[in-house]
Amino acid sequence: MTHFQKLNLISILLVLVAVVMIALGFQMKIAAPPLTGVGFILLAWAIQILKKEL
């Protein structure tokens, strides 16, 4: 597995966890999981930007 494939896998997993956290947060009507989910999405986006610079 190459370095870029590993970064892609990490990004996909972060987005999947983020979607689940956002859904659970809205279902339970609490703010922390959706905010963390948004943070995970931003982190996955940052990884993709850094990957393009390598």
Side-chain angles (χ1 to χ4, degrees):
M1 190 176 250
T2 68
H3 184 67
F4 291 114
Q5 288 174 334
K6 288 178 185 175
L7 288 174
N8 283 336
L9 180 62
I10 289 169
S11 294
I12 290 168
L13 291 175
L14 279 171
V15 170
L16 287 175
V17 170
V19 169
V20 170
M21 290 180 75
I22 290 170
L24 286 175
F26 285 131
Q27 183 180 12
M28 298 175 69
K29 297 180 182 169
I30 52 178
L35 291 175
T36 306
V38 170
F40 281 0
I41 290 173
L42 292 174
L43 185 61
W45 177 57
I47 288 172
Q48 292 302 311
I49 289 173
L50 290 174
K51 187 179 77 170
K52 289 179 184 178
E53 293 179 5
L54 292 177

